[in-house]
Coordinates of all heavy atoms in Angstrom, one line a residue:
M1 N -2.8 5.7 -19.3 CA -2.9 5.9 -17.8 C -4.2 5.3 -17.3 O -5.3 5.7 -17.8 CB -2.7 7.3 -17.4 CG -2.7 7.5 -16.0 SD -2.0 9.1 -15.4 CE -3.4 10.2 -15.6
G2 N -4.1 4.4 -16.4 CA -5.4 3.9 -15.8 C -5.9 4.7 -14.7 O -5.3 5.7 -14.2
E3 N -7.0 4.2 -14.1 CA -7.7 4.9 -13.0 C -6.8 5.0 -11.8 O -6.7 6.0 -11.1 CB -9.0 4.2 -12.7 CG -9.7 4.8 -11.5 CD -11.0 4.1 -11.1 OE1 -11.5 3.3 -11.9 OE2 -11.4 4.3 -10.0
L4 N -6.1 3.9 -11.5 CA -5.3 3.9 -10.3 C -4.1 4.8 -10.4 O -3.7 5.4 -9.4 CB -4.8 2.5 -10.0 CG -5.9 1.5 -9.6 CD1 -5.4 0.1 -9.6 CD2 -6.5 1.9 -8.3
T5 N -3.5 5.0 -11.6 CA -2.4 5.9 -11.7 C -2.8 7.4 -11.5 O -1.9 8.3 -11.4 CB -1.6 5.7 -13.0 OG1 -2.5 5.9 -14.1 CG2 -0.9 4.4 -13.0
A6 N -4.1 7.7 -11.5 CA -4.5 9.0 -11.3 C -4.5 9.3 -9.8 O -4.5 10.5 -9.4 CB -6.0 9.2 -11.8
L7 N -4.3 8.3 -9.0 CA -4.1 8.5 -7.5 C -2.7 8.9 -7.2 O -1.8 8.5 -7.9 CB -4.5 7.2 -6.8 CG -5.9 6.7 -6.9 CD1 -6.0 5.3 -6.2 CD2 -6.9 7.7 -6.2
P8 N -2.5 9.7 -6.1 CA -1.2 10.0 -5.7 C -0.4 8.7 -5.4 O -1.0 7.7 -4.8 CB -1.4 10.8 -4.4 CG -2.8 11.2 -4.4 CD -3.5 10.2 -5.2
N9 N 0.9 8.7 -5.7 CA 1.8 7.6 -5.3 C 1.7 6.3 -6.1 O 2.4 5.4 -5.9 CB 1.6 7.2 -3.8 CG 1.5 8.3 -2.9 OD1 2.4 9.2 -2.9 ND2 0.5 8.4 -2.1
I10 N 0.7 6.3 -7.1 CA 0.5 5.0 -7.8 C 1.1 5.3 -9.2 O 0.5 6.0 -10.0 CB -1.0 4.6 -7.9 CG1 -1.6 4.5 -6.5 CG2 -1.1 3.3 -8.7 CD1 -1.1 3.5 -5.6
G11 N 2.2 4.6 -9.5 CA 2.7 4.6 -10.9 C 2.3 3.4 -11.7 O 1.5 2.6 -11.2
K12 N 2.8 3.3 -12.9 CA 2.4 2.2 -13.7 C 2.8 0.8 -13.1 O 2.0 -0.1 -13.2 CB 3.1 2.3 -15.1 CG 2.5 3.5 -15.9 CD 3.2 3.6 -17.3 CE 2.7 4.8 -18.0 NZ 3.3 4.9 -19.3
T13 N 3.9 0.7 -12.5 CA 4.3 -0.6 -12.0 C 3.4 -1.0 -10.8 O 2.9 -2.1 -10.8 CB 5.8 -0.5 -11.5 OG1 6.6 -0.2 -12.6 CG2 6.2 -1.9 -10.9
L14 N 3.2 -0.1 -9.9 CA 2.3 -0.4 -8.8 C 0.9 -0.7 -9.3 O 0.2 -1.6 -8.7 CB 2.3 0.7 -7.7 CG 1.5 0.4 -6.4 CD1 1.9 -0.9 -5.8 CD2 1.8 1.5 -5.4
E15 N 0.4 0.1 -10.3 CA -0.9 -0.2 -10.8 C -1.0 -1.6 -11.3 O -2.0 -2.3 -11.1 CB -1.2 0.8 -11.9 CG -2.6 0.6 -12.5 CD -3.0 1.5 -13.6 OE1 -2.2 1.7 -14.5 OE2 -4.1 2.1 -13.5
R16 N 0.0 -2.0 -12.1 CA 0.0 -3.4 -12.6 C 0.0 -4.4 -11.5 O -0.8 -5.4 -11.5 CB 1.3 -3.6 -13.5 CG 1.4 -5.1 -14.0 CD 2.7 -5.3 -14.8 NE 3.9 -4.8 -14.1 CZ 4.5 -5.4 -13.1 NH1 4.0 -6.5 -12.6 NH2 5.6 -4.9 -12.6
E17 N 0.8 -4.2 -10.4 CA 0.8 -5.1 -9.3 C -0.6 -5.1 -8.6 O -1.0 -6.2 -8.2 CB 1.9 -4.7 -8.3 CG 3.3 -4.9 -8.8 CD 4.4 -4.2 -8.0 OE1 4.0 -3.5 -7.0 OE2 5.5 -4.5 -8.3
L18 N -1.2 -4.0 -8.5 CA -2.6 -3.9 -7.9 C -3.6 -4.7 -8.7 O -4.4 -5.5 -8.2 CB -3.0 -2.5 -7.7 CG -2.3 -1.7 -6.7 CD1 -2.6 -0.2 -6.8 CD2 -2.6 -2.2 -5.3
H19 N -3.5 -4.6 -10.0 CA -4.4 -5.4 -10.9 C -4.1 -6.9 -10.7 O -5.1 -7.7 -10.7 CB -4.1 -5.1 -12.4 CG -4.6 -3.7 -12.8 ND1 -5.9 -3.3 -12.6 CD2 -4.0 -2.7 -13.5 CE1 -6.1 -2.1 -13.1 NE2 -4.9 -1.7 -13.6
E20 N -2.9 -7.3 -10.5 CA -2.5 -8.7 -10.3 C -3.2 -9.3 -9.0 O -3.3 -10.5 -8.9 CB -1.0 -8.9 -10.3 CG -0.4 -8.7 -11.6 CD 1.1 -8.7 -11.6 OE1 1.7 -8.8 -10.5 OE2 1.7 -8.5 -12.7
V21 N -3.4 -8.4 -8.0 CA -4.1 -8.9 -6.8 C -5.5 -8.5 -6.7 O -6.1 -8.5 -5.6 CB -3.3 -8.4 -5.5 CG1 -1.9 -8.9 -5.5 CG2 -3.3 -6.9 -5.4
G22 N -6.1 -8.1 -7.8 CA -7.6 -7.9 -7.9 C -8.0 -6.5 -7.5 O -9.2 -6.3 -7.3
I23 N -7.2 -5.6 -7.5 CA -7.6 -4.2 -7.3 C -7.5 -3.4 -8.6 O -6.4 -3.2 -9.1 CB -6.7 -3.5 -6.2 CG1 -6.7 -4.3 -4.9 CG2 -7.0 -2.1 -6.0 CD1 -8.0 -4.3 -4.2
D24 N -8.6 -3.1 -9.1 CA -8.7 -2.4 -10.4 C -9.2 -1.0 -10.4 O -9.1 -0.3 -11.4 CB -9.6 -3.3 -11.4 CG -9.1 -4.7 -11.6 OD1 -7.8 -4.8 -11.8 OD2 -9.8 -5.6 -11.5
T25 N -9.8 -0.6 -9.3 CA -10.3 0.8 -9.2 C -9.9 1.4 -7.9 O -9.6 0.7 -6.9 CB -11.9 0.7 -9.3 OG1 -12.4 0.1 -8.1 CG2 -12.4 0.0 -10.5
A26 N -10.0 2.7 -7.8 CA -9.8 3.5 -6.6 C -10.7 3.1 -5.5 O -10.4 2.9 -4.3 CB -9.8 5.0 -6.9
A27 N -12.0 2.8 -5.9 CA -13.0 2.4 -4.9 C -12.6 1.1 -4.3 O -12.8 0.9 -3.1 CB -14.4 2.3 -5.6
Q28 N -12.1 0.1 -5.1 CA -11.7 -1.2 -4.5 C -10.6 -1.0 -3.6 O -10.5 -1.6 -2.5 CB -11.3 -2.1 -5.7 CG -12.5 -2.6 -6.5 CD -12.1 -3.4 -7.7 OE1 -11.0 -3.2 -8.3 NE2 -12.8 -4.4 -8.0
L29 N -9.6 -0.1 -3.9 CA -8.5 0.1 -3.0 C -8.9 0.7 -1.7 O -8.5 0.3 -0.6 CB -7.5 1.1 -3.7 CG -6.3 1.5 -2.9 CD1 -5.4 0.3 -2.4 CD2 -5.4 2.5 -3.7
R30 N -9.8 1.7 -1.8 CA -10.3 2.3 -0.6 C -11.1 1.4 0.3 O -11.0 1.4 1.5 CB -11.1 3.6 -0.9 CG -10.2 4.7 -1.4 CD -11.0 6.0 -1.7 NE -10.1 7.0 -2.1 CZ -10.0 7.4 -3.4 NH1 -10.9 6.9 -4.3 NH2 -9.2 8.3 -3.8
Q31 N -11.9 0.6 -0.4 CA -12.8 -0.4 0.4 C -11.9 -1.4 1.1 O -12.2 -1.8 2.2 CB -13.8 -1.1 -0.6 CG -14.7 -2.0 0.2 CD -15.7 -2.6 -0.8 OE1 -15.7 -2.4 -2.0 NE2 -16.6 -3.4 -0.2
A32 N -10.9 -2.0 0.4 CA -10.1 -3.0 1.0 C -9.1 -2.4 2.1 O -8.8 -3.0 3.1 CB -9.2 -3.7 -0.1
G33 N -8.7 -1.2 1.8 CA -7.7 -0.5 2.7 C -6.3 -0.8 2.4 O -6.0 -1.9 1.9
A34 N -5.4 0.1 2.7 CA -4.0 0.0 2.3 C -3.4 -1.3 3.0 O -2.6 -2.0 2.3 CB -3.3 1.2 2.8
E35 N -3.6 -1.5 4.2 CA -3.0 -2.7 4.9 C -3.4 -4.0 4.3 O -2.5 -4.8 4.0 CB -3.3 -2.6 6.4 CG -2.7 -1.4 7.1 CD -3.1 -1.2 8.5 OE1 -4.1 -1.9 8.9 OE2 -2.5 -0.4 9.2
Q36 N -4.6 -4.2 4.0 CA -5.1 -5.5 3.4 C -4.5 -5.6 2.0 O -4.2 -6.7 1.6 CB -6.6 -5.6 3.4 CG -7.1 -5.7 4.9 CD -6.5 -6.9 5.6 OE1 -6.4 -8.0 5.1 NE2 -6.0 -6.6 6.8
V37 N -4.5 -4.6 1.2 CA -4.0 -4.6 -0.1 C -2.5 -4.9 -0.1 O -2.0 -5.7 -0.9 CB -4.3 -3.3 -0.9 CG1 -3.6 -3.3 -2.2 CG2 -5.8 -3.2 -1.1
W38 N -1.8 -4.3 0.8 CA -0.4 -4.5 1.0 C -0.1 -6.0 1.3 O 0.9 -6.6 0.8 CB 0.2 -3.5 2.0 CG 1.7 -3.7 2.2 CD1 2.7 -3.2 1.4 CD2 2.4 -4.5 3.2 NE1 3.9 -3.6 1.8 CE2 3.7 -4.4 3.0 CE3 1.9 -5.2 4.3 CZ2 4.7 -5.0 3.8 CZ3 2.8 -5.8 5.1 CH2 4.2 -5.7 4.8
L39 N -0.9 -6.6 2.2 CA -0.7 -8.0 2.5 C -0.9 -8.8 1.2 O -0.2 -9.8 1.1 CB -1.7 -8.4 3.6 CG -1.5 -7.9 5.0 CD1 -2.6 -8.2 5.9 CD2 -0.1 -8.4 5.5
R40 N -1.8 -8.5 0.4 CA -2.0 -9.2 -0.9 C -0.7 -9.1 -1.7 O -0.2 -10.1 -2.3 CB -3.2 -8.7 -1.7 CG -4.5 -9.0 -1.1 CD -5.6 -8.5 -2.1 NE -6.8 -8.3 -1.5 CZ -7.9 -7.8 -2.1 NH1 -7.9 -7.6 -3.4 NH2 -9.0 -7.6 -1.5
L41 N -0.2 -7.9 -1.8 CA 1.1 -7.6 -2.6 C 2.2 -8.4 -1.9 O 3.0 -9.0 -2.7 CB 1.4 -6.1 -2.6 CG 0.4 -5.2 -3.4 CD1 0.8 -3.8 -3.2 CD2 0.4 -5.6 -4.9
L42 N 2.3 -8.4 -0.6 CA 3.4 -9.1 0.1 C 3.3 -10.6 -0.2 O 4.4 -11.2 -0.4 CB 3.3 -8.8 1.6 CG 4.3 -9.5 2.5 CD1 5.7 -8.9 2.1 CD2 4.0 -9.3 3.9
A43 N 2.1 -11.2 -0.3 CA 2.0 -12.6 -0.6 C 2.6 -12.9 -2.0 O 3.1 -14.0 -2.2 CB 0.5 -13.0 -0.5
R44 N 2.5 -12.0 -2.9 CA 3.0 -12.2 -4.2 C 4.5 -11.8 -4.4 O 5.2 -12.3 -5.2 CB 2.2 -11.4 -5.3 CG 0.8 -12.0 -5.5 CD 0.1 -11.2 -6.5 NE 0.7 -11.2 -7.8 CZ 0.4 -12.2 -8.7 NH1 -0.5 -13.1 -8.4 NH2 0.9 -12.1 -9.9
D45 N 4.9 -10.8 -3.5 CA 6.2 -10.3 -3.6 C 6.8 -10.0 -2.2 O 6.5 -9.0 -1.6 CB 6.2 -9.0 -4.4 CG 7.5 -8.3 -4.5 OD1 8.6 -8.8 -4.0 OD2 7.6 -7.1 -5.0
P46 N 7.6 -10.9 -1.7 CA 8.1 -10.8 -0.3 C 8.9 -9.5 -0.1 O 9.2 -9.1 1.1 CB 9.0 -12.0 -0.1 CG 8.5 -13.0 -1.1 CD 8.0 -12.2 -2.3
S47 N 9.3 -8.8 -1.1 CA 10.1 -7.6 -1.0 C 9.2 -6.3 -0.8 O 9.7 -5.2 -0.7 CB 11.0 -7.4 -2.2 OG 10.3 -7.0 -3.3
A48 N 7.9 -6.5 -0.7 CA 7.0 -5.4 -0.5 C 7.4 -4.6 0.7 O 7.5 -5.2 1.8 CB 5.6 -5.8 -0.4
C49 N 7.8 -3.4 0.6 CA 8.4 -2.6 1.6 C 7.4 -1.6 2.3 O 6.3 -1.4 1.9 CB 9.6 -1.8 1.1 SG 9.1 -0.6 -0.2
L50 N 8.0 -1.0 3.4 CA 7.2 0.0 4.1 C 6.8 1.1 3.3 O 5.7 1.6 3.4 CB 8.0 0.4 5.3 CG 7.4 1.5 6.2 CD1 6.1 1.1 6.8 CD2 8.4 1.9 7.3
H51 N 7.7 1.6 2.4 CA 7.3 2.7 1.5 C 6.2 2.4 0.6 O 5.4 3.3 0.2 CB 8.6 3.2 0.8 CG 9.6 3.8 1.7 ND1 9.4 5.1 2.2 CD2 10.7 3.3 2.3 CE1 10.4 5.3 3.0 NE2 11.2 4.2 3.1
R52 N 6.1 1.1 0.1 CA 4.9 0.8 -0.7 C 3.6 0.9 0.1 O 2.6 1.3 -0.4 CB 5.1 -0.6 -1.3 CG 4.1 -0.9 -2.4 CD 4.4 -2.2 -3.1 NE 5.8 -2.4 -3.5 CZ 6.2 -3.5 -4.0 NH1 5.4 -4.5 -4.2 NH2 7.5 -3.6 -4.3
L53 N 3.7 0.5 1.4 CA 2.5 0.6 2.3 C 2.2 2.0 2.5 O 1.0 2.4 2.5 CB 2.9 -0.2 3.6 CG 1.8 -0.2 4.6 CD1 0.4 -0.7 4.1 CD2 2.2 -1.1 5.8
Y54 N 3.2 2.9 2.7 CA 2.9 4.3 2.9 C 2.2 4.8 1.6 O 1.3 5.6 1.6 CB 4.2 5.1 3.1 CG 4.8 5.0 4.5 CD1 6.1 5.1 4.6 CD2 4.0 4.9 5.6 CE1 6.7 5.1 5.9 CE2 4.6 4.8 6.9 CZ 5.9 4.9 7.0 OH 6.5 4.9 8.3
A55 N 2.7 4.4 0.4 CA 2.2 4.9 -0.9 C 0.7 4.5 -1.0 O -0.1 5.3 -1.4 CB 3.0 4.3 -2.0
L56 N 0.4 3.3 -0.6 CA -1.0 2.8 -0.7 C -1.9 3.6 0.3 O -3.0 4.0 -0.1 CB -1.1 1.3 -0.3 CG -0.5 0.4 -1.4 CD1 -0.4 -1.0 -0.8 CD2 -1.3 0.4 -2.7
E57 N -1.4 3.9 1.5 CA -2.2 4.6 2.4 C -2.4 6.1 1.9 O -3.5 6.6 2.0 CB -1.5 4.7 3.8 CG -2.3 5.4 4.9 CD -3.7 4.8 5.2 OE1 -3.9 3.6 5.0 OE2 -4.6 5.6 5.5
G58 N -1.4 6.6 1.3 CA -1.5 8.0 0.8 C -2.5 8.0 -0.4 O -3.3 8.9 -0.5
A59 N -2.5 6.9 -1.2 CA -3.5 6.8 -2.3 C -4.9 6.7 -1.7 O -5.8 7.4 -2.3 CB -3.1 5.6 -3.2
V60 N -5.0 5.9 -0.7 CA -6.4 5.8 -0.1 C -6.9 7.2 0.4 O -8.0 7.5 0.3 CB -6.3 4.8 1.1 CG1 -7.5 4.9 2.0 CG2 -6.2 3.4 0.5
Q61 N -5.9 7.9 1.0 CA -6.3 9.2 1.6 C -6.2 10.4 0.5 O -6.5 11.5 0.8 CB -5.4 9.6 2.7 CG -5.5 8.7 3.9 CD -4.7 9.2 5.1 OE1 -4.5 10.4 5.3 NE2 -4.3 8.2 5.9
S62 N -5.8 10.0 -0.7 CA -5.6 11.0 -1.8 C -4.6 12.1 -1.4 O -4.8 13.3 -1.7 CB -7.0 11.7 -2.2 OG -7.9 10.7 -2.7
I63 N -3.5 11.7 -0.8 CA -2.4 12.6 -0.5 C -1.1 11.9 -0.8 O -1.0 10.7 -0.9 CB -2.4 13.1 1.0 CG1 -2.3 11.9 1.9 CG2 -3.6 13.9 1.2 CD1 -2.2 12.3 3.4
R64 N -0.1 12.7 -1.0 CA 1.3 12.1 -1.2 C 1.7 11.4 0.1 O 1.4 11.9 1.2 CB 2.3 13.2 -1.6 CG 2.0 13.9 -2.9 CD 2.9 15.1 -3.2 NE 3.6 15.6 -2.1 CZ 4.9 15.9 -2.0 NH1 5.7 15.7 -3.0 NH2 5.4 16.4 -0.9
K65 N 2.5 10.4 -0.1 CA 2.9 9.6 1.1 C 3.7 10.5 2.0 O 3.6 10.3 3.3 CB 3.6 8.3 0.7 CG 5.0 8.6 0.0 CD 5.6 7.2 -0.3 CE 7.0 7.5 -0.9 NZ 7.7 6.2 -1.3
E66 N 4.4 11.4 1.5 CA 5.2 12.3 2.3 C 4.3 13.2 3.2 O 4.8 13.7 4.2 CB 6.1 13.2 1.5 CG 7.2 12.5 0.7 CD 6.7 11.9 -0.6 OE1 5.5 12.2 -1.0 OE2 7.5 11.2 -1.3
D67 N 3.1 13.4 2.8 CA 2.2 14.2 3.6 C 1.3 13.5 4.6 O 0.4 14.1 5.2 CB 1.3 15.0 2.6 CG 2.1 16.0 1.7 OD1 3.2 16.4 2.2 OD2 1.7 16.2 0.6
L68 N 1.5 12.2 4.7 CA 0.7 11.4 5.7 C 0.9 12.0 7.1 O 2.1 12.3 7.4 CB 1.1 9.9 5.7 CG 0.6 9.1 4.5 CD1 1.4 7.8 4.5 CD2 -0.9 8.9 4.6
P69 N -0.1 12.1 7.9 CA 0.0 12.6 9.2 C 1.0 11.6 10.0 O 1.0 10.4 9.8 CB -1.4 12.5 9.8 CG -2.3 12.6 8.6 CD -1.5 11.9 7.5
D70 N 1.7 12.2 11.0 CA 2.6 11.4 11.8 C 1.9 10.2 12.5 O 2.5 9.1 12.6 CB 3.4 12.3 12.8 CG 4.4 13.2 12.1 OD1 4.8 12.9 11.0 OD2 4.7 14.2 12.8
A71 N 0.7 10.4 12.9 CA 0.0 9.4 13.6 C -0.3 8.2 12.7 O -0.2 7.0 13.1 CB -1.3 9.9 14.2
D72 N -0.6 8.5 11.4 CA -0.9 7.5 10.4 C 0.4 6.7 10.1 O 0.4 5.5 10.0 CB -1.5 8.0 9.2 CG -2.9 8.5 9.4 OD1 -3.5 8.1 10.4 OD2 -3.4 9.2 8.5
K73 N 1.5 7.5 10.0 CA 2.8 6.8 9.7 C 3.2 5.9 10.8 O 3.7 4.8 10.6 CB 3.9 7.9 9.5 CG 3.8 8.6 8.2 CD 4.9 9.6 8.1 CE 4.8 10.4 6.8 NZ 5.9 11.5 6.7
A74 N 3.0 6.3 12.1 CA 3.3 5.5 13.2 C 2.5 4.2 13.2 O 3.0 3.1 13.5 CB 3.1 6.3 14.5
R75 N 1.2 4.3 13.0 CA 0.3 3.2 12.9 C 0.7 2.2 11.8 O 0.7 1.0 12.0 CB -1.2 3.7 12.7 CG -2.2 2.5 12.5 CD -3.6 3.1 12.2 NE -3.6 4.0 11.1 CZ -3.6 3.7 9.8 NH1 -3.5 2.5 9.4 NH2 -3.7 4.7 8.9
I76 N 1.0 2.8 10.7 CA 1.4 1.9 9.5 C 2.7 1.2 9.8 O 2.8 0.0 9.5 CB 1.4 2.8 8.2 CG1 0.0 3.3 7.9 CG2 2.1 2.1 7.1 CD1 0.0 4.4 6.9
K77 N 3.6 1.9 10.4 CA 4.9 1.3 10.7 C 4.8 0.2 11.7 O 5.4 -0.8 11.6 CB 5.9 2.4 11.1 CG 7.3 1.9 11.2 CD 8.3 3.0 11.5 CE 9.7 2.4 11.5 NZ 10.7 3.5 11.6
A78 N 4.0 0.4 12.7 CA 3.7 -0.6 13.7 C 3.1 -1.9 13.0 O 3.5 -3.0 13.3 CB 2.8 -0.1 14.8
F79 N 2.1 -1.7 12.2 CA 1.5 -2.8 11.4 C 2.6 -3.5 10.6 O 2.7 -4.7 10.7 CB 0.4 -2.3 10.5 CG -0.1 -3.3 9.6 CD1 -1.0 -4.2 10.0 CD2 0.3 -3.3 8.2 CE1 -1.5 -5.2 9.1 CE2 -0.1 -4.2 7.3 CZ -1.0 -5.2 7.8
Y80 N 3.4 -2.8 9.9 CA 4.5 -3.3 9.0 C 5.4 -4.2 9.9 O 5.8 -5.3 9.6 CB 5.2 -2.2 8.3 CG 6.4 -2.6 7.6 CD1 6.3 -3.1 6.3 CD2 7.7 -2.6 8.1 CE1 7.4 -3.5 5.5 CE2 8.8 -3.0 7.4 CZ 8.6 -3.5 6.1 OH 9.7 -3.9 5.4
N81 N 5.9 -3.6 11.0 CA 6.8 -4.3 11.9 C 6.2 -5.6 12.5 O 6.9 -6.6 12.6 CB 7.3 -3.4 13.0 CG 8.3 -2.3 12.5 OD1 8.9 -2.5 11.5 ND2 8.3 -1.2 13.2
E82 N 4.9 -5.6 12.8 CA 4.3 -6.8 13.3 C 4.2 -7.9 12.2 O 4.5 -9.0 12.5 CB 2.9 -6.5 13.8 CG 2.8 -5.9 15.2 CD 3.4 -6.8 16.2 OE1 3.1 -8.0 16.3 OE2 4.3 -6.3 17.0
V83 N 3.9 -7.5 11.0 CA 3.8 -8.4 9.9 C 5.2 -9.0 9.7 O 5.4 -10.2 9.5 CB 3.2 -7.8 8.7 CG1 3.4 -8.7 7.4 CG2 1.8 -7.4 8.9
K84 N 6.2 -8.2 9.6 CA 7.6 -8.6 9.3 C 8.1 -9.5 10.4 O 8.8 -10.5 10.2 CB 8.5 -7.4 9.0 CG 8.2 -6.8 7.7 CD 8.5 -7.7 6.5 CE 8.4 -7.1 5.2 NZ 8.8 -7.9 4.1
K85 N 7.8 -9.1 11.7 CA 8.2 -9.9 12.8 C 7.6 -11.3 12.7 O 8.2 -12.3 13.0 CB 7.8 -9.3 14.1 CG 8.1 -10.0 15.3 CD 7.6 -9.3 16.6 CE 7.8 -10.2 17.8 NZ 7.1 -9.8 18.9
G86 N 6.3 -11.4 12.4 CA 5.6 -12.7 12.3 C 6.2 -13.6 11.2 O 6.2 -14.8 11.3
K87 N 6.7 -12.9 10.1 CA 7.3 -13.7 9.0 C 8.6 -14.3 9.4 O 9.1 -15.2 8.8 CB 7.4 -12.8 7.7 CG 6.1 -12.5 7.2 CD 6.2 -12.5 5.7 CE 4.8 -12.4 5.1 NZ 4.2 -13.6 4.7
S88 N 9.3 -13.6 10.4 CA 10.6 -14.1 10.7 C 10.6 -15.1 11.9 O 11.6 -15.7 12.2 CB 11.5 -12.9 11.1 OG 11.1 -12.3 12.3
D89 N 9.4 -15.2 12.5 CA 9.3 -16.2 13.7 C 9.3 -17.6 13.1 O 8.9 -18.0 12.1 CB 8.1 -15.9 14.5 CG 8.2 -14.6 15.3 OD1 9.3 -14.2 15.4 OD2 7.2 -14.1 15.8

C-alpha cells in the first residue's frame, strides 16, 4: 500500500493513475488540488467521471467523498459540467 492509498477514497487503481500523471504524494495532491489533478486524469482517460472528482476532493480534505459538504459538491459538480460542456462544443 502506497502513501496515496492511505487517503480516503484512493484505491490501488486510482493511486496508479495518479502516479501516471505525476502525483506521488498526498502533499502533491493537496498542492495541485482535486480539480487540476482530475483534469490531468481526464486528459489521459476521457471517461474520468464526476465520482472520481468527488473522490479526489475528499482525499484532499481527508474525508470520504460521501461526507463532502453540499457546498463543495455543488462547486465540484459545476466545475465538472463546465469542463464536460467545453469538451462537447
Side-chain angles (χ1 to χ4, degrees):
M1 179 160 88
E3 176 182 344
L4 291 169
T5 57
L7 296 171
N9 315 309
I10 307 294
K12 290 179 182 180
T13 300
L14 185 50
E15 180 181 50
R16 178 185 45 78
E17 293 170 351
L18 290 169
H19 288 308
E20 290 172 359
V21 296
I23 302 296
D24 298 315
T25 67
Q28 288 174 325
L29 175 59
R30 289 185 180 106
Q31 182 177 6
E35 293 170 349
Q36 292 306 309
V37 171
W38 181 81
L39 288 172
R40 292 186 203 178
L41 294 172
L42 181 64
R44 293 181 62 89
D45 177 6
S47 72
C49 64
L50 176 60
H51 292 281
R52 194 174 312 173
L53 182 52
Y54 285 150
L56 291 168
E57 182 63 29
V60 165
Q61 294 187 31
S62 296
I63 59 175
R64 295 175 340 134
K65 67 181 182 179
E66 295 84 4
D67 296 331
L68 285 168
D70 289 340
D72 288 346
K73 287 181 184 176
R75 174 184 52 79
I76 292 163
K77 189 171 186 177
F79 170 80
Y80 174 86
N81 288 333
E82 280 299 312
V83 170
K84 288 297 186 171
K85 179 183 172 194
K87 292 218 174 263
S88 66
D89 289 345

